[in-house]
Amino acid sequence: MRLILLGAPGAGKGTQAQYITEKFGIPQISTGDMLRAAVKAQTPLGIEAKQVMDAGGLVSDDIIIGLVKERIAEDDCASGFLFDGFPRTIPQAQAMVEEGVSIDHVVEIAVDDEEIVSRMSGRRVHPGSGRVYHVIHNPPKTEGVDDETGEALVQRDDDQEETVRKRLEIYHEQTSPLVDFYQDMTGSDAPAYHRIEGVGSVEQIRDRVFDELG
Protein backbone atom coordinates (compact mmCIF):
# COMPACT_ATOMS: atom_id res chain seq x y z
CA MET A 1 0.00 0.00 0.00
CA ARG A 2 2.13 2.87 -1.33
CA LEU A 3 -0.03 5.92 -1.12
CA ILE A 4 -0.02 9.69 -1.65
CA LEU A 5 -2.53 11.81 0.26
CA LEU A 6 -3.49 15.12 -1.36
CA GLY A 7 -5.72 17.88 -0.07
CA ALA A 8 -5.72 21.57 0.72
CA PRO A 9 -4.67 22.88 4.16
CA GLY A 10 -7.62 22.28 6.48
CA ALA A 11 -9.12 19.49 4.36
CA GLY A 12 -8.58 16.97 7.18
CA LYS A 13 -5.65 15.03 5.72
CA GLY A 14 -3.95 14.57 9.08
CA THR A 15 -6.92 12.79 10.65
CA GLN A 16 -7.42 10.51 7.64
CA ALA A 17 -3.69 9.76 7.45
CA GLN A 18 -3.85 8.37 11.00
CA TYR A 19 -6.75 6.06 10.09
CA ILE A 20 -4.98 4.83 6.94
CA THR A 21 -1.61 4.18 8.59
CA GLU A 22 -3.26 2.29 11.46
CA LYS A 23 -5.44 0.15 9.18
CA PHE A 24 -2.67 -0.84 6.77
CA GLY A 25 0.26 -0.85 9.22
CA ILE A 26 2.35 1.60 7.20
CA PRO A 27 4.34 4.67 8.29
CA GLN A 28 3.29 8.24 7.51
CA ILE A 29 6.14 10.09 5.85
CA SER A 30 6.37 13.87 5.56
CA THR A 31 9.29 15.73 4.04
CA GLY A 32 9.62 17.84 7.20
CA ASP A 33 10.04 14.73 9.37
CA MET A 34 12.50 13.23 6.90
CA LEU A 35 14.59 16.37 6.78
CA ARG A 36 14.71 16.66 10.57
CA ALA A 37 15.66 12.99 10.95
CA ALA A 38 18.40 13.19 8.30
CA VAL A 39 19.84 16.38 9.80
CA LYS A 40 19.80 14.84 13.29
CA ALA A 41 21.42 11.60 12.06
CA GLN A 42 23.99 13.66 10.12
CA THR A 43 23.61 11.56 6.97
CA PRO A 44 25.41 12.97 3.90
CA LEU A 45 22.09 14.25 2.53
CA GLY A 46 21.15 15.57 5.97
CA ILE A 47 24.39 17.56 6.22
CA GLU A 48 23.83 18.94 2.71
CA ALA A 49 20.23 19.90 3.55
CA LYS A 50 21.30 21.60 6.80
CA GLN A 51 23.84 23.76 4.96
CA VAL A 52 21.13 24.92 2.55
CA MET A 53 18.62 25.60 5.35
CA ASP A 54 21.20 27.40 7.51
CA ALA A 55 21.88 29.69 4.56
CA GLY A 56 18.13 30.42 4.35
CA GLY A 57 17.68 28.53 1.09
CA LEU A 58 15.09 26.00 -0.02
CA VAL A 59 16.19 22.38 -0.07
CA SER A 60 16.41 21.23 -3.70
CA ASP A 61 14.19 18.55 -5.20
CA ASP A 62 17.30 16.41 -5.77
CA ILE A 63 18.00 16.30 -2.03
CA ILE A 64 14.34 15.67 -1.20
CA ILE A 65 14.07 12.79 -3.69
CA GLY A 66 17.31 11.35 -2.31
CA LEU A 67 15.87 11.48 1.21
CA VAL A 68 12.64 9.86 0.01
CA LYS A 69 14.52 6.97 -1.58
CA GLU A 70 16.58 6.45 1.58
CA ARG A 71 13.48 6.59 3.78
CA ILE A 72 11.34 4.14 1.81
CA ALA A 73 14.21 1.63 1.75
CA GLU A 74 13.93 1.29 5.55
CA ASP A 75 12.39 -1.82 7.12
CA ASP A 76 9.17 -0.15 8.33
CA CYS A 77 8.27 0.65 4.69
CA ALA A 78 8.33 -3.01 3.62
CA SER A 79 4.50 -3.10 3.49
CA GLY A 80 4.21 0.38 2.02
CA PHE A 81 4.04 4.01 3.17
CA LEU A 82 1.85 7.10 3.11
CA PHE A 83 3.30 10.34 1.73
CA ASP A 84 1.75 13.36 3.41
CA GLY A 85 2.46 16.72 1.75
CA PHE A 86 4.78 15.15 -0.81
CA PRO A 87 5.15 15.48 -3.73
CA ARG A 88 4.21 19.13 -3.56
CA THR A 89 4.92 20.08 -7.18
CA ILE A 90 4.89 18.55 -10.68
CA PRO A 91 8.74 18.45 -10.91
CA GLN A 92 8.84 16.43 -7.65
CA ALA A 93 6.20 14.03 -8.98
CA GLN A 94 8.09 13.64 -12.27
CA ALA A 95 11.37 13.06 -10.43
CA MET A 96 9.74 10.27 -8.42
CA VAL A 97 8.59 8.57 -11.62
CA GLU A 98 12.07 8.93 -13.15
CA GLU A 99 13.67 7.48 -10.02
CA GLY A 100 11.34 4.47 -10.13
CA VAL A 101 9.43 5.30 -6.91
CA SER A 102 6.12 3.64 -7.73
CA ILE A 103 2.82 4.56 -6.08
CA ASP A 104 -0.30 2.36 -5.84
CA HIS A 105 -2.94 4.90 -4.85
CA VAL A 106 -3.39 8.67 -4.88
CA VAL A 107 -6.17 9.84 -2.56
CA GLU A 108 -7.44 13.42 -2.78
CA ILE A 109 -9.50 14.72 0.13
CA ALA A 110 -11.60 17.29 -1.75
CA VAL A 111 -13.15 20.19 0.15
CA ASP A 112 -14.51 23.43 -1.29
CA ASP A 113 -12.40 26.53 -0.53
CA GLU A 114 -15.22 28.37 1.22
CA GLU A 115 -15.83 25.38 3.50
CA ILE A 116 -12.11 25.35 4.43
CA VAL A 117 -12.14 29.11 5.11
CA SER A 118 -15.18 28.63 7.36
CA ARG A 119 -13.59 25.67 9.15
CA MET A 120 -10.25 27.31 9.82
CA SER A 121 -11.22 30.92 10.42
CA GLY A 122 -13.83 29.76 12.95
CA ARG A 123 -11.27 27.94 15.11
CA ARG A 124 -10.41 29.30 18.52
CA VAL A 125 -7.72 27.91 20.83
CA HIS A 126 -7.06 27.98 24.57
CA PRO A 127 -3.30 28.72 24.65
CA GLY A 128 -2.70 27.08 28.04
CA SER A 129 -4.10 23.64 27.22
CA GLY A 130 -4.29 23.58 23.42
CA ARG A 131 -8.05 22.91 23.59
CA VAL A 132 -9.63 23.77 20.24
CA TYR A 133 -13.13 25.16 19.73
CA HIS A 134 -15.07 26.28 16.67
CA VAL A 135 -17.44 29.24 16.73
CA ILE A 136 -20.07 27.27 14.78
CA HIS A 137 -19.33 23.54 15.07
CA ASN A 138 -17.94 23.30 18.61
CA PRO A 139 -18.53 26.60 20.42
CA PRO A 140 -17.46 27.17 24.04
CA LYS A 141 -20.26 27.44 26.61
CA THR A 142 -19.54 31.14 26.91
CA GLU A 143 -18.46 32.97 23.78
CA GLY A 144 -14.72 33.67 23.63
CA VAL A 145 -13.64 31.85 26.80
CA ASP A 146 -12.39 28.36 27.67
CA ASP A 147 -14.98 26.04 29.27
CA GLU A 148 -12.66 24.82 32.02
CA THR A 149 -10.56 27.84 33.01
CA GLY A 150 -12.67 30.80 31.87
CA GLU A 151 -9.53 32.20 30.21
CA ALA A 152 -9.74 34.00 26.86
CA LEU A 153 -9.57 31.99 23.64
CA VAL A 154 -7.40 33.20 20.76
CA GLN A 155 -7.46 32.86 17.00
CA ARG A 156 -4.09 31.62 15.74
CA ASP A 157 -2.39 33.65 12.99
CA ASP A 158 -2.56 30.57 10.73
CA ASP A 159 -6.35 30.49 11.11
CA GLN A 160 -7.05 34.09 10.14
CA GLU A 161 -9.12 34.31 6.96
CA GLU A 162 -6.53 36.25 4.97
CA THR A 163 -3.81 33.71 5.85
CA VAL A 164 -6.07 30.74 5.04
CA ARG A 165 -6.95 32.22 1.63
CA LYS A 166 -3.25 32.83 0.87
CA ARG A 167 -2.38 29.22 1.76
CA LEU A 168 -5.22 27.97 -0.45
CA GLU A 169 -3.96 30.14 -3.31
CA ILE A 170 -0.47 28.60 -3.01
CA TYR A 171 -1.99 25.11 -2.82
CA HIS A 172 -4.00 25.65 -6.02
CA GLU A 173 -0.95 27.06 -7.83
CA GLN A 174 1.55 24.40 -6.80
CA THR A 175 -0.23 21.25 -5.71
CA SER A 176 -3.59 21.15 -7.47
CA PRO A 177 -1.87 20.41 -10.83
CA LEU A 178 -0.79 17.08 -9.27
CA VAL A 179 -4.44 15.99 -9.51
CA ASP A 180 -4.24 16.23 -13.32
CA PHE A 181 -0.74 14.76 -13.37
CA TYR A 182 -1.79 11.55 -11.63
CA GLN A 183 -5.16 11.29 -13.39
CA ASP A 184 -3.41 11.56 -16.76
CA MET A 185 -0.72 8.99 -15.97
CA THR A 186 -0.87 5.84 -18.07
CA GLY A 187 0.99 2.55 -18.12
CA SER A 188 1.59 -0.18 -15.58
CA ASP A 189 3.09 2.26 -13.03
CA ALA A 190 0.08 4.61 -13.03
CA PRO A 191 -1.51 4.76 -9.58
CA ALA A 192 -5.25 4.40 -8.97
CA TYR A 193 -6.72 7.86 -8.37
CA HIS A 194 -9.47 8.40 -5.78
CA ARG A 195 -11.31 11.67 -5.14
CA ILE A 196 -12.98 11.57 -1.72
CA GLU A 197 -15.48 14.23 -0.67
CA GLY A 198 -14.05 15.60 2.57
CA VAL A 199 -17.36 16.82 4.01
CA GLY A 200 -19.21 14.96 6.77
CA SER A 201 -18.05 13.36 9.99
CA VAL A 202 -14.45 12.11 10.16
CA GLU A 203 -15.84 8.56 10.40
CA GLN A 204 -17.91 9.01 7.22
CA ILE A 205 -14.89 10.33 5.35
CA ARG A 206 -12.74 7.48 6.73
CA ASP A 207 -15.28 4.91 5.49
CA ARG A 208 -15.27 6.51 2.02
CA VAL A 209 -11.47 6.28 1.92
CA PHE A 210 -11.47 2.64 3.06
CA ASP A 211 -14.18 1.73 0.51
CA GLU A 212 -12.00 3.15 -2.26
CA LEU A 213 -8.80 1.49 -1.06
CA GLY A 214 -10.53 -1.86 -0.57
Side-chain angles (χ1 to χ4, degrees), residues 34-172:
M34 276 190 309
L35 275 169
R36 283 187 288 274
V39 167
K40 191 176 176 186
Q42 295 191 319
T43 67
L45 281 172
I47 291 166
E48 201 178 333
K50 188 174 187 306
Q51 287 168 346
V52 173
M53 290 189 290
D54 286 349
L58 283 173
V59 179
S60 72
D61 285 352
D62 287 347
I63 293 177
I64 297 287
I65 299 295
L67 287 170
V68 165
K69 289 183 73 179
E70 278 183 3
R71 178 68 186 87
I72 64 177
E74 291 179 22
D75 292 346
D76 65 340
C77 292
S79 301
F81 47 79
L82 181 149
F83 282 138
D84 176 16
F86 178 84
R88 218 174 268 277
T89 61
I90 297 285
Q92 287 181 348
Q94 285 170 329
M96 276 175 56
V97 173
E98 285 158 17
E99 290 289 339
V101 179
S102 63
I103 299 295
D104 303 317
H105 298 275
V106 175
V107 175
E108 178 196 7
I109 308 288
V111 181
D112 180 72
D113 280 6
E114 291 310 311
E115 167 67 19
I116 285 177
V117 170
S118 163
R119 273 185 197 179
M120 295 182 76
S121 63
R123 283 202 294 221
R124 299 292 182 270
V125 180
H126 176 238
S129 67
R131 273 187 289 279
V132 178
Y133 298 86
H134 192 282
V135 293
I136 299 165
H137 306 301
N138 179 32
K141 290 169 187 160
T142 306
E143 187 179 340
V145 298
D146 179 51
D147 287 351
E148 293 189 23
T149 63
E151 292 167 353
L153 300 175
V154 300
Q155 182 183 41
R156 290 186 307 211
D157 291 345
D158 274 3
D159 292 337
Q160 289 179 4
E161 182 171 340
E162 192 182 334
T163 310
V164 173
R165 289 194 186 278
K166 184 67 187 164
R167 289 172 69 197
L168 286 169
E169 202 180 300
I170 293 166
Y171 174 77
H172 290 306

Side-chain angles (χ1 to χ4, degrees), residues 164-189:
V164 173
R165 289 194 186 278
K166 184 67 187 164
R167 289 172 69 197
L168 286 169
E169 202 180 300
I170 293 166
Y171 174 77
H172 290 306
E173 275 173 23
Q174 291 189 347
T175 312
S176 284
L178 289 171
V179 170
D180 294 334
F181 177 86
Y182 285 114
Q183 284 181 325
D184 294 344
M185 257 181 93
T186 55
S188 56
D189 279 347

Side-chain angles (χ1 to χ4, degrees), residues 5-32:
L5 194 57
L6 294 178
K13 290 195 308 294
T15 305
Q16 296 308 320
Q18 282 181 317
Y19 286 133
I20 295 167
T21 53
E22 281 169 19
K23 180 176 172 66
F24 295 103
I26 55 176
Q28 180 176 345
I29 298 173
S30 77
T31 43

